[in-house]
């Protein structure tokens, strides 16, 4: 193969050099067109994915601007490839428009768009006719905001942070504003509490005593209203009229926001009774429908005088003593009074075991004047100034430091002869049961049977004076062992006969022989069932 000799080899080399020079003269410099926009050449592709057929080898004349060869005339150039038009962003913010020629070799790449080109470019190519690129007008799409463009992660994060912080700041400002307004409304004295003092609190209008008590019970304390609420109520009460007076002080009917309340005003000498009664009423789980509803306690006064207030529910029927003096009873009313009274006493006597339990409590001054009658004909136990508590954890009896003693007429034999064991709590429970037996006697006398009833009288009315001494009572109760007498008519009435039996078992001389409150309650319930009476 003699074509490889030296002469032929030199000829081949010369041919390749000439071909290279010719290609360079017709090929567009690719540097400014690299990474350019998507060209119209893509539109020429067929469904099979192949490119359009290459143009014929004849020369194509194109218009050139900003990209003309050195030998161009009248802004024209010729090529064996494509005419192009290109628009490109400039650093100054404007856009430049360029036209010219692209050689056939590499035109597929020159007329394609690279999406992430910087600066942005868009190129369009054509081969339809000479100077076809005059009709090409590539247009760049609107510029995206740089914050949302890809790659600007830091700017995007900064914007999100600023927006979130602004929203949080606005929320905090709104919260602080409403909180300030709320506190301002609370500090603003309502029309009914002008001159609100430091030891008072704001009670919203429309709140009734029932609402306040229910809220305090649902809060879980179970020991009554908060102290500031009690003081506020006490300061806002209007005294209306005096409805009673006793050795401890006076009882007034008052009003709080139109609601009637009972205000017990203690003498300053009876501070121990006021303190003890307040303490007992605020015992956890003390509230019961048959124990007088406690509302508030407060001390009013200046340096020269002091008033001790105990505010409770108001019952217009007054005490059982007053009620019996003016009212006769049928069997149902008698059982209702007796059953509700013993229910209250039973709750007092019962110890409730829980995380915040209620201790067992003995009344120590049970009498008809210390039991109140409600509108519905039931009773509630009141006046707990002498009550004692049993501390089961230490097995101790909590006796109040009080010089006051109970009512002599209702004192059991063991108190009158001073044989009561003061360290044994059950002794006080049994003393209450003796007194309750006398109350049953007072109630039963007013029950009508066969059209007959007795006038109201206090126990032992026919044996001692209206204000008996210790000696008088000790002689009757302890030495003679007398008890109130029963009218003959009771023997002919089954219900009154059972009541008489109950009284005898309550006021037995031996405390250990007396019935408990729970036993009496069950007996009265059974008597009601036998009479078809619903309590």
């Amino acid at each position: 193969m003699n074509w490889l000799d030296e002469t032929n080899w030199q000829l081949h080399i010369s041919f390749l050099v000439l071909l290279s020079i010719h290609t360079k003269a017709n090929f567009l410099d690719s540097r400014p067109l690299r990474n350019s926009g998507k060209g119209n050449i893509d539109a020429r592709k067929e469904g099979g994915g192949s490119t359009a057929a290459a143009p014929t080898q004849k020369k194509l004349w194109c218009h050139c601007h900003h990209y003309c060869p050195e030998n161009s005339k009248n802004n024209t150039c010729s090529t064996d490839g494509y005419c192009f038009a290109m628009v490109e962003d400039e650093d100054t913010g404007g856009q430049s428009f360029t036209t010219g020629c692209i050689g056939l070799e590499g035109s597929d790449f020159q007329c394609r768009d690279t999406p992430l080109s910087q600066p942005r470019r868009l190129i369009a190519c054509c081969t339809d006719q000479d100077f076809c690129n005059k009709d090409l007008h590539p247009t760049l799409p609107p510029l995206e905001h740089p914050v949302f463009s890809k790659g600007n992660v830091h700017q995007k994060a900064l914007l999100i942070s600023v927006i979130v912080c602004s929203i949080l700041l606005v929320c905090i400002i709104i919260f602080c504003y409403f909180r300030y307004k709320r506190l301002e409304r609370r500090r603003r004295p309502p029309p009914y509490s002008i001159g609100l003092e430091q030891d008072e609190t704001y009670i919203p209008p429309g709140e009734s005593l029932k609402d306040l008590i229910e809220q305090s019970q649902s809060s879980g304390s179970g020991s009554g209203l908060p102290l500031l609420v009690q003081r506020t109520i006490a300061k806002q009460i209007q005294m209306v009229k005096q409805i009673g007076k006793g050795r401890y002080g006076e009882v007034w009917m008052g009003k709080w926001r139109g609601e009637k309340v009972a205000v017990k005003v203690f003498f300053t000498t009876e501070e121990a009774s006021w303190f003890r009664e307040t303490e007992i009423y605020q015992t956890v789980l003390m509230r019961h429908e048959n124990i007088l509803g406690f509302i508030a306690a407060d001390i009013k006064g200046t340096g020269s005088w002091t008033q001790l207030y105990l505010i409770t529910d108001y019952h217009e029927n007054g005490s059982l003593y007053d009620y019996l003096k003016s009212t006769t009873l049928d069997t149902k009313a008698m059982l209702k009074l007796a059953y509700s009274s013993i229910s209250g006493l039973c709750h007092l006597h019962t110890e409730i075991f829980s995380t915040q339990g209620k201790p067992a409590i003995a009344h120590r001054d049970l009498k008809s004047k210390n039991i109140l009658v409600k509108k519905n004909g039931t009773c509630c136990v009141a006046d707990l100034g002498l009550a004692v508590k049993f501390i089961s954890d230490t097995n101790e009896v909590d006796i109040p430091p009080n010089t006051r003693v109970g009512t002599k007429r209702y004192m059991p034999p063991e108190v009158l002869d001073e044989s009561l064991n003061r360290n044994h709590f059950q002794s006080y429970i049994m003393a209450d049961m003796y007194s309750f037996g006398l109350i049953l006697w007072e109630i039963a006398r007013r029950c009508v049977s066969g059209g007959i009833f007795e006038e109201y009288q206090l126990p032992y009315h026919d044996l001692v004076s209206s204000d008996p001494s210790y000696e008088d009572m000790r002689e009757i109760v302890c030495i003679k062992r007398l008890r109130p007498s029963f009218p003959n008519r009771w023997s002919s009435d089954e219900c009154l006969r059972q009541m008489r039996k109950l009284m005898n078992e309550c006021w037995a001389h031996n405390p250990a022989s007396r019935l408990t409150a729970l036993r009496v309650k069950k007996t009265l319930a059974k008597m009601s069932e036998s009479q078809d009476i619903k309590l």
Side-chain angles (χ1 to χ4, degrees):
M1 298 203 46
N2 57 3
W3 65 271
L4 288 174
D5 59 17
E6 183 176 349
T7 303
N8 288 335
W9 181 78
Q10 289 177 350
L11 286 171
H12 281 292
I13 292 296
S14 299
F15 177 76
L16 290 172
V17 170
L18 288 172
L19 182 63
S20 175
I21 291 170
H22 175 74
T23 303
K24 286 183 179 179
N26 290 284
F27 188 74
L28 187 65
D29 183 6
S30 64
R31 180 176 57 80
L33 300 178
R34 206 168 290 148
N35 300 328
S36 60
K38 191 171 186 179
N40 289 346
I41 194 169
D42 289 340
R44 304 175 190 277
K45 291 193 175 181
E46 301 293 339
S50 62
T51 58
T56 59
Q57 295 300 318
K58 70 169 188 165
K59 293 287 184 180
L60 180 68
W61 288 93
C62 306
H63 179 267
C64 65
H65 178 66
H66 288 169
Y67 202 82
C68 296
E70 291 182 2
N71 58 351
S72 69
K73 293 180 182 179
N74 299 325
N75 290 333
T76 61
C77 61
S78 63
T79 180
D80 60 349
Y82 295 88
C83 298
F84 79 89
M86 180 178 70
V87 64
E88 180 180 17
D89 280 341
E90 292 184 337
D91 293 339
T92 58
Q95 293 182 345
S96 63
F97 194 77
T98 305
T99 57
C101 300
I102 296 178
L104 180 63
E105 186 176 351
S107 61
D108 281 354
F109 297 101
Q110 295 290 347
C111 287
R112 289 182 186 275
D113 180 26
T114 303
L116 300 177
S117 61
Q118 289 293 335
R120 296 191 309 153
R121 294 175 182 168
L122 187 62
I123 188 170
C125 300
C126 65
T127 59
D128 301 341
Q129 59 186 7
D130 289 340
F131 305 110
C132 62
N133 60 345
K134 278 189 175 182
D135 299 326
L136 296 177
H137 302 287
T139 305
L140 287 170
L143 183 65
E144 276 188 355
H145 197 281
V147 173
F148 298 103
S149 63
K150 295 181 180 178
N152 294 327
V153 178
H154 295 294
Q155 288 179 325
K156 191 180 295 184
L158 178 62
L159 181 65
I160 292 173
S161 300
V162 169
I163 291 172
V164 171
C165 291
S166 300
I167 292 172
L168 285 175
L169 182 62
V170 170
C171 290
I172 290 170
I173 291 172
I174 292 172
F175 173 79
C176 292
Y177 173 78
F178 282 107
R179 182 174 177 81
Y180 168 77
K181 285 293 185 184
R182 186 180 176 187
L183 292 173
E184 190 179 49
R185 281 196 301 270
R186 284 186 174 182
R187 284 194 294 265
R188 190 183 301 137
Y192 52 80
S193 60
I194 295 171
L196 206 64
E197 299 177 12
Q198 283 187 341
D199 60 350
E200 295 181 56
T201 188
Y202 172 62
I203 301 174
E207 292 280 357
S208 67
L209 290 172
K210 184 180 178 182
D211 294 335
L212 293 173
I213 290 167
E214 284 178 355
Q215 288 171 18
S216 72
Q217 286 181 299
S218 61
S219 68
S221 68
S223 56
L225 296 173
L227 182 59
L228 275 180
V229 176
Q230 291 186 36
R231 288 188 170 181
T232 304
I233 292 171
K235 290 178 185 297
Q236 294 174 0
I237 282 177
Q238 299 173 336
M239 297 293 206
V240 178
K241 63 178 180 179
Q242 183 177 328
I243 55 176
K245 190 172 183 178
R247 58 186 175 183
Y248 54 83
E250 302 169 344
V251 179
W252 285 71
M253 189 267 277
K255 283 191 176 182
W256 183 79
R257 298 191 186 178
E259 293 185 63
K260 291 181 180 179
V261 293
V263 184
K264 196 173 180 180
V265 185
F266 289 77
F267 298 136
T268 51
T269 54
E270 296 292 330
E271 183 176 356
S273 293
W274 171 85
F275 183 83
R276 185 60 171 187
E277 192 160 4
T278 301
E279 180 189 11
I280 294 291
Y281 272 126
Q282 296 193 103
T283 301
V284 175
L285 300 176
M286 183 65 181
R287 189 164 287 275
H288 186 274
E289 63 179 343
N290 299 122
I291 292 176
L292 180 61
F294 170 77
I295 296 172
D298 191 25
I299 300 177
K300 278 190 176 184
T302 61
S304 58
W305 59 273
T306 303
Q307 285 183 314
L308 309 168
Y309 282 8
L310 185 72
I311 301 156
T312 64
D313 293 341
Y314 173 76
H315 299 295
E316 60 186 26
N317 286 331
S319 69
L320 180 62
Y321 169 80
D322 297 321
Y323 185 76
L324 293 175
K325 282 202 300 183
S326 60
T327 310
T328 57
L329 311 171
D330 57 15
T331 302
K332 180 180 178 179
M334 175 185 69
L335 290 174
K336 203 172 186 181
L337 291 173
Y339 181 81
S340 56
S341 299
I342 197 62
S343 294
L345 188 61
C346 187
H347 181 72
L348 269 184
H349 287 181
T350 303
E351 180 174 8
I352 299 174
F353 296 94
S354 67
T355 51
Q356 282 190 316
K358 171 195 159 296
I361 299 170
H363 193 285
R364 288 181 71 214
D365 193 19
L366 201 61
K367 58 183 177 180
S368 55
K369 289 184 178 180
N370 289 340
I371 294 175
L372 302 179
V373 181
K374 298 182 178 182
K375 274 185 178 180
N376 61 2
T378 61
C379 293
C380 58
V381 178
D383 196 349
L384 303 174
L386 287 178
V388 295
K389 296 191 290 186
F390 178 60
I391 314 301
S392 59
D393 293 339
T394 57
N395 202 31
E396 293 178 353
V397 179
D398 178 15
I399 303 174
N402 195 342
T403 55
R404 177 181 156 197
V405 294
T407 306
K408 294 185 283 291
R409 188 181 296 272
Y410 290 83
M411 284 181 178
E414 60 271 24
V415 173
L416 291 169
D417 64 12
E418 299 179 351
S419 63
L420 183 137
N421 184 354
R422 292 183 174 272
N423 297 318
H424 189 214
F425 180 73
Q426 194 63 20
S427 301
Y428 297 101
I429 294 290
M430 291 297 103
D432 280 350
M433 294 313 299
Y434 170 89
S435 303
F436 185 75
L438 298 178
I439 294 169
L440 285 180
W441 180 85
E442 295 177 67
I443 294 172
R445 279 175 58 89
R446 300 295 284 161
C447 180
V448 180
S449 63
I452 305 171
F453 60 90
E454 286 75 41
E455 291 297 322
Y456 175 78
Q457 294 291 346
L458 287 168
Y460 303 110
H461 68 97
D462 53 346
L463 299 174
V464 294
S465 64
S466 59
D467 185 19
S469 63
Y470 277 106
E471 289 72 23
D472 295 337
M473 292 307 302
R474 186 184 301 115
E475 182 181 359
I476 297 297
V477 175
C478 300
I479 300 172
K480 296 182 178 179
R481 297 195 178 187
L482 297 176
R483 297 293 183 269
S485 58
F486 302 121
N488 293 328
R489 69 181 180 92
W490 288 15
S491 302
S492 58
D493 187 287
E494 178 60 28
C495 189
L496 289 174
R497 195 163 52 244
Q498 290 183 44
M499 288 287 282
R500 183 177 65 184
K501 182 174 182 292
L502 207 54
M503 294 171 208
N504 282 324
E505 291 177 318
C506 284
W507 63 38
H509 189 82
N510 182 4
S513 302
R514 295 172 195 158
L515 298 177
T516 62
L518 183 59
R519 181 67 265 165
V520 175
K521 181 180 177 181
K522 288 181 177 180
T523 302
L524 287 170
K526 191 174 180 181
M527 288 171 60
S528 301
E529 286 180 15
S530 65
Q531 298 281 334
D532 291 327
I533 296 171
K534 291 183 180 181
L535 299 177

